[in-house]
PDB file of all heavy atoms in Angstrom:
ATOM      1  N   LYS U  62       0.833  -1.207   0.000  1.00 98.00           N
ATOM      2  CA  LYS U  62       0.000   0.000   0.000  1.00 98.00           C
ATOM      3  C   LYS U  62       0.870   1.260   0.000  1.00 98.00           C
ATOM      4  O   LYS U  62       1.911   1.303   0.655  1.00 98.00           O
ATOM      5  CB  LYS U  62      -0.896   0.044   1.243  1.00 98.00           C
ATOM      6  CG  LYS U  62      -1.564  -1.269   1.632  1.00 98.00           C
ATOM      7  CD  LYS U  62      -2.572  -1.726   0.619  1.00 98.00           C
ATOM      8  CE  LYS U  62      -3.345  -2.938   1.151  1.00 98.00           C
ATOM      9  NZ  LYS U  62      -4.298  -3.491   0.152  1.00 98.00           N
ATOM     10  N   ARG U  63       0.433   2.291  -0.703  1.00 98.00           N
ATOM     11  CA  ARG U  63       1.074   3.594  -0.558  1.00 98.00           C
ATOM     12  C   ARG U  63       0.766   4.133   0.829  1.00 98.00           C
ATOM     13  O   ARG U  63      -0.356   4.005   1.328  1.00 98.00           O
ATOM     14  CB  ARG U  63       0.561   4.587  -1.610  1.00 98.00           C
ATOM     15  CG  ARG U  63       1.004   6.040  -1.326  1.00 98.00           C
ATOM     16  CD  ARG U  63       0.448   7.046  -2.308  1.00 98.00           C
ATOM     17  NE  ARG U  63       1.136   6.970  -3.579  1.00 98.00           N
ATOM     18  CZ  ARG U  63       0.940   7.836  -4.584  1.00 98.00           C
ATOM     19  NH1 ARG U  63       0.052   8.813  -4.456  1.00 98.00           N
ATOM     20  NH2 ARG U  63       1.607   7.710  -5.715  1.00 98.00           N
ATOM     21  N   ILE U  64       1.760   4.786   1.445  1.00 98.00           N
ATOM     22  CA  ILE U  64       1.582   5.381   2.769  1.00 98.00           C
ATOM     23  C   ILE U  64       1.530   6.894   2.632  1.00 98.00           C
ATOM     24  O   ILE U  64       2.470   7.520   2.111  1.00 98.00           O
ATOM     25  CB  ILE U  64       2.722   4.991   3.722  1.00 98.00           C
ATOM     26  CG1 ILE U  64       2.883   3.470   3.794  1.00 98.00           C
ATOM     27  CG2 ILE U  64       2.479   5.586   5.102  1.00 98.00           C
ATOM     28  CD1 ILE U  64       1.673   2.720   4.303  1.00 98.00           C
ATOM     29  N   ALA U  65       0.438   7.496   3.084  1.00 98.00           N
ATOM     30  CA  ALA U  65       0.339   8.946   3.231  1.00 98.00           C
ATOM     31  C   ALA U  65       0.565   9.222   4.716  1.00 98.00           C
ATOM     32  O   ALA U  65      -0.301   8.935   5.544  1.00 98.00           O
ATOM     33  CB  ALA U  65      -1.027   9.448   2.770  1.00 98.00           C
ATOM     34  N   LEU U  66       1.732   9.743   5.046  1.00 98.00           N
ATOM     35  CA  LEU U  66       2.168   9.773   6.445  1.00 98.00           C
ATOM     36  C   LEU U  66       1.978  11.149   7.067  1.00 98.00           C
ATOM     37  O   LEU U  66       2.629  12.117   6.687  1.00 98.00           O
ATOM     38  CB  LEU U  66       3.643   9.365   6.526  1.00 98.00           C
ATOM     39  CG  LEU U  66       4.203   9.130   7.928  1.00 98.00           C
ATOM     40  CD1 LEU U  66       3.466   7.984   8.622  1.00 98.00           C
ATOM     41  CD2 LEU U  66       5.698   8.822   7.853  1.00 98.00           C
ATOM     42  N   ALA U  67       1.056  11.214   8.032  1.00 95.00           N
ATOM     43  CA  ALA U  67       0.825  12.446   8.773  1.00 95.00           C
ATOM     44  C   ALA U  67       1.286  12.313  10.216  1.00 95.00           C
ATOM     45  O   ALA U  67       1.000  13.170  11.048  1.00 95.00           O
ATOM     46  CB  ALA U  67      -0.660  12.812   8.743  1.00 95.00           C
ATOM     47  N   ASN U  68       1.976  11.238  10.513  1.00 90.00           N
ATOM     48  CA  ASN U  68       2.403  10.925  11.871  1.00 90.00           C
ATOM     49  C   ASN U  68       3.924  10.963  11.939  1.00 90.00           C
ATOM     50  O   ASN U  68       4.607  10.206  11.252  1.00 90.00           O
ATOM     51  CB  ASN U  68       1.882   9.527  12.241  1.00 90.00           C
ATOM     52  CG  ASN U  68       2.401   9.024  13.562  1.00 90.00           C
ATOM     53  OD1 ASN U  68       3.596   8.834  13.716  1.00 90.00           O
ATOM     54  ND2 ASN U  68       1.508   8.783  14.505  1.00 90.00           N
ATOM     55  N   LYS U  69       4.472  11.865  12.742  1.00 89.00           N
ATOM     56  CA  LYS U  69       5.920  12.013  12.836  1.00 89.00           C
ATOM     57  C   LYS U  69       6.572  10.857  13.586  1.00 89.00           C
ATOM     58  O   LYS U  69       7.684  10.441  13.275  1.00 89.00           O
ATOM     59  CB  LYS U  69       6.254  13.320  13.557  1.00 89.00           C
ATOM     60  CG  LYS U  69       5.770  14.560  12.838  1.00 89.00           C
ATOM     61  CD  LYS U  69       5.959  15.796  13.702  1.00 89.00           C
ATOM     62  CE  LYS U  69       5.473  17.033  12.977  1.00 89.00           C
ATOM     63  NZ  LYS U  69       4.049  16.950  12.603  1.00 89.00           N
ATOM     64  N   GLU U  70       5.865  10.346  14.597  1.00 89.00           N
ATOM     65  CA  GLU U  70       6.481   9.376  15.494  1.00 89.00           C
ATOM     66  C   GLU U  70       6.891   8.090  14.785  1.00 89.00           C
ATOM     67  O   GLU U  70       7.842   7.419  15.187  1.00 89.00           O
ATOM     68  CB  GLU U  70       5.533   9.066  16.652  1.00 89.00           C
ATOM     69  CG  GLU U  70       5.323  10.210  17.621  1.00 89.00           C
ATOM     70  CD  GLU U  70       4.239  11.181  17.195  1.00 89.00           C
ATOM     71  OE1 GLU U  70       3.708  11.032  16.068  1.00 89.00           O
ATOM     72  OE2 GLU U  70       3.915  12.087  17.971  1.00 89.00           O
ATOM     73  N   VAL U  71       6.179   7.719  13.726  1.00 94.00           N
ATOM     74  CA  VAL U  71       6.503   6.484  13.007  1.00 94.00           C
ATOM     75  C   VAL U  71       7.939   6.516  12.499  1.00 94.00           C
ATOM     76  O   VAL U  71       8.692   5.552  12.661  1.00 94.00           O
ATOM     77  CB  VAL U  71       5.508   6.263  11.847  1.00 94.00           C
ATOM     78  CG1 VAL U  71       6.033   5.228  10.869  1.00 94.00           C
ATOM     79  CG2 VAL U  71       4.143   5.834  12.392  1.00 94.00           C
ATOM     80  N   LEU U  72       8.351   7.626  11.886  1.00 96.00           N
ATOM     81  CA  LEU U  72       9.715   7.717  11.372  1.00 96.00           C
ATOM     82  C   LEU U  72      10.713   8.097  12.455  1.00 96.00           C
ATOM     83  O   LEU U  72      11.872   7.686  12.398  1.00 96.00           O
ATOM     84  CB  LEU U  72       9.785   8.721  10.219  1.00 96.00           C
ATOM     85  CG  LEU U  72       9.079   8.295   8.927  1.00 96.00           C
ATOM     86  CD1 LEU U  72       9.302   9.336   7.832  1.00 96.00           C
ATOM     87  CD2 LEU U  72       9.551   6.930   8.456  1.00 96.00           C
ATOM     88  N   VAL U  73      10.292   8.871  13.443  1.00 96.00           N
ATOM     89  CA  VAL U  73      11.198   9.212  14.536  1.00 96.00           C
ATOM     90  C   VAL U  73      11.606   7.945  15.281  1.00 96.00           C
ATOM     91  O   VAL U  73      12.774   7.752  15.632  1.00 96.00           O
ATOM     92  CB  VAL U  73      10.538  10.219  15.495  1.00 96.00           C
ATOM     93  CG1 VAL U  73      11.377  10.400  16.756  1.00 96.00           C
ATOM     94  CG2 VAL U  73      10.358  11.569  14.796  1.00 96.00           C
ATOM     95  N   MET U  74      10.661   7.057  15.515  1.00 94.00           N
ATOM     96  CA  MET U  74      10.947   5.822  16.240  1.00 94.00           C
ATOM     97  C   MET U  74      11.630   4.773  15.378  1.00 94.00           C
ATOM     98  O   MET U  74      12.547   4.098  15.820  1.00 94.00           O
ATOM     99  CB  MET U  74       9.655   5.219  16.796  1.00 94.00           C
ATOM    100  CG  MET U  74       9.116   5.914  18.024  1.00 94.00           C
ATOM    101  SD  MET U  74       7.740   4.990  18.710  1.00 94.00           S
ATOM    102  CE  MET U  74       8.535   3.480  19.235  1.00 94.00           C
ATOM    103  N   ALA U  75      11.136   4.615  14.158  1.00 95.00           N
ATOM    104  CA  ALA U  75      11.551   3.451  13.361  1.00 95.00           C
ATOM    105  C   ALA U  75      11.830   3.839  11.916  1.00 95.00           C
ATOM    106  O   ALA U  75      11.494   3.096  10.994  1.00 95.00           O
ATOM    107  CB  ALA U  75      10.471   2.380  13.424  1.00 95.00           C
ATOM    108  N   GLY U  76      12.472   4.976  11.716  1.00 96.00           N
ATOM    109  CA  GLY U  76      12.730   5.453  10.361  1.00 96.00           C
ATOM    110  C   GLY U  76      13.523   4.466   9.532  1.00 96.00           C
ATOM    111  O   GLY U  76      13.217   4.238   8.352  1.00 96.00           O
ATOM    112  N   ALA U  77      14.551   3.862  10.125  1.00 95.00           N
ATOM    113  CA  ALA U  77      15.390   2.921   9.372  1.00 95.00           C
ATOM    114  C   ALA U  77      14.569   1.713   8.929  1.00 95.00           C
ATOM    115  O   ALA U  77      14.653   1.284   7.765  1.00 95.00           O
ATOM    116  CB  ALA U  77      16.576   2.486  10.226  1.00 95.00           C
ATOM    117  N   LEU U  78      13.759   1.158   9.832  1.00 96.00           N
ATOM    118  CA  LEU U  78      12.955  -0.008   9.487  1.00 96.00           C
ATOM    119  C   LEU U  78      11.897   0.321   8.433  1.00 96.00           C
ATOM    120  O   LEU U  78      11.705  -0.429   7.465  1.00 96.00           O
ATOM    121  CB  LEU U  78      12.265  -0.566  10.734  1.00 96.00           C
ATOM    122  CG  LEU U  78      13.145  -1.179  11.826  1.00 96.00           C
ATOM    123  CD1 LEU U  78      12.277  -1.629  12.993  1.00 96.00           C
ATOM    124  CD2 LEU U  78      13.940  -2.354  11.279  1.00 96.00           C
ATOM    125  N   VAL U  79      11.203   1.433   8.625  1.00 97.00           N
ATOM    126  CA  VAL U  79      10.108   1.796   7.729  1.00 97.00           C
ATOM    127  C   VAL U  79      10.613   2.088   6.319  1.00 97.00           C
ATOM    128  O   VAL U  79      10.079   1.576   5.325  1.00 97.00           O
ATOM    129  CB  VAL U  79       9.324   2.994   8.291  1.00 97.00           C
ATOM    130  CG1 VAL U  79       8.332   3.537   7.258  1.00 97.00           C
ATOM    131  CG2 VAL U  79       8.587   2.604   9.570  1.00 97.00           C
ATOM    132  N   MET U  80      11.657   2.902   6.217  1.00 97.00           N
ATOM    133  CA  MET U  80      12.131   3.284   4.891  1.00 97.00           C
ATOM    134  C   MET U  80      12.815   2.120   4.177  1.00 97.00           C
ATOM    135  O   MET U  80      12.718   1.993   2.952  1.00 97.00           O
ATOM    136  CB  MET U  80      13.054   4.490   4.987  1.00 97.00           C
ATOM    137  CG  MET U  80      12.374   5.743   5.540  1.00 97.00           C
ATOM    138  SD  MET U  80      10.786   6.173   4.739  1.00 97.00           S
ATOM    139  CE  MET U  80      11.365   6.657   3.096  1.00 97.00           C
ATOM    140  N   ALA U  81      13.488   1.259   4.935  1.00 97.00           N
ATOM    141  CA  ALA U  81      14.077   0.067   4.314  1.00 97.00           C
ATOM    142  C   ALA U  81      12.979  -0.843   3.769  1.00 97.00           C
ATOM    143  O   ALA U  81      13.101  -1.395   2.664  1.00 97.00           O
ATOM    144  CB  ALA U  81      14.945  -0.681   5.316  1.00 97.00           C
ATOM    145  N   ALA U  82      11.907  -1.009   4.529  1.00 97.00           N
ATOM    146  CA  ALA U  82      10.790  -1.828   4.070  1.00 97.00           C
ATOM    147  C   ALA U  82      10.137  -1.229   2.831  1.00 97.00           C
ATOM    148  O   ALA U  82       9.785  -1.948   1.884  1.00 97.00           O
ATOM    149  CB  ALA U  82       9.757  -1.983   5.187  1.00 97.00           C
ATOM    150  N   ALA U  83       9.981   0.093   2.823  1.00 98.00           N
ATOM    151  CA  ALA U  83       9.366   0.764   1.672  1.00 98.00           C
ATOM    152  C   ALA U  83      10.224   0.603   0.417  1.00 98.00           C
ATOM    153  O   ALA U  83       9.703   0.351  -0.679  1.00 98.00           O
ATOM    154  CB  ALA U  83       9.147   2.243   1.986  1.00 98.00           C
ATOM    155  N   ARG U  84      11.532   0.729   0.573  1.00 97.00           N
ATOM    156  CA  ARG U  84      12.426   0.537  -0.585  1.00 97.00           C
ATOM    157  C   ARG U  84      12.360  -0.903  -1.088  1.00 97.00           C
ATOM    158  O   ARG U  84      12.313  -1.153  -2.299  1.00 97.00           O
ATOM    159  CB  ARG U  84      13.859   0.909  -0.206  1.00 97.00           C
ATOM    160  CG  ARG U  84      14.111   2.399  -0.083  1.00 97.00           C
ATOM    161  CD  ARG U  84      15.592   2.704   0.035  1.00 97.00           C
ATOM    162  NE  ARG U  84      16.185   2.136   1.244  1.00 97.00           N
ATOM    163  CZ  ARG U  84      16.249   2.767   2.411  1.00 97.00           C
ATOM    164  NH1 ARG U  84      15.732   3.990   2.535  1.00 97.00           N
ATOM    165  NH2 ARG U  84      16.813   2.200   3.464  1.00 97.00           N
ATOM    166  N   ALA U  85      12.354  -1.860  -0.171  1.00 98.00           N
ATOM    167  CA  ALA U  85      12.331  -3.270  -0.558  1.00 98.00           C
ATOM    168  C   ALA U  85      11.055  -3.636  -1.310  1.00 98.00           C
ATOM    169  O   ALA U  85      11.088  -4.450  -2.239  1.00 98.00           O
ATOM    170  CB  ALA U  85      12.485  -4.144   0.682  1.00 98.00           C
ATOM    171  N   ARG U  86       9.939  -3.013  -0.940  1.00 97.00           N
ATOM    172  CA  ARG U  86       8.650  -3.337  -1.568  1.00 97.00           C
ATOM    173  C   ARG U  86       8.295  -2.381  -2.699  1.00 97.00           C
ATOM    174  O   ARG U  86       7.278  -2.563  -3.378  1.00 97.00           O
ATOM    175  CB  ARG U  86       7.534  -3.322  -0.516  1.00 97.00           C
ATOM    176  CG  ARG U  86       7.596  -4.425   0.493  1.00 97.00           C
ATOM    177  CD  ARG U  86       7.187  -5.768  -0.132  1.00 97.00           C
ATOM    178  NE  ARG U  86       5.746  -5.809  -0.375  1.00 97.00           N
ATOM    179  CZ  ARG U  86       5.162  -6.136  -1.530  1.00 97.00           C
ATOM    180  NH1 ARG U  86       5.904  -6.444  -2.575  1.00 97.00           N
ATOM    181  NH2 ARG U  86       3.854  -6.158  -1.650  1.00 97.00           N
TER     182      ARG U  86
END
């Protein structure tokens, strides 16, 4: 799914995990 992100905490907490997952998919 495309993510429209209005929540800062997701990337502040887990930016490396989230962006790596997004690149992989």
Side-chain angles (χ1 to χ4, degrees):
K62 317 294 188 184
R63 169 183 285 187
I64 306 299
L66 189 62
N68 173 297
K69 298 172 180 59
E70 291 85 354
V71 164
L72 291 184
V73 170
M74 284 188 65
L78 293 178
V79 170
M80 298 310 292
R84 286 191 297 270
R86 291 287 287 129

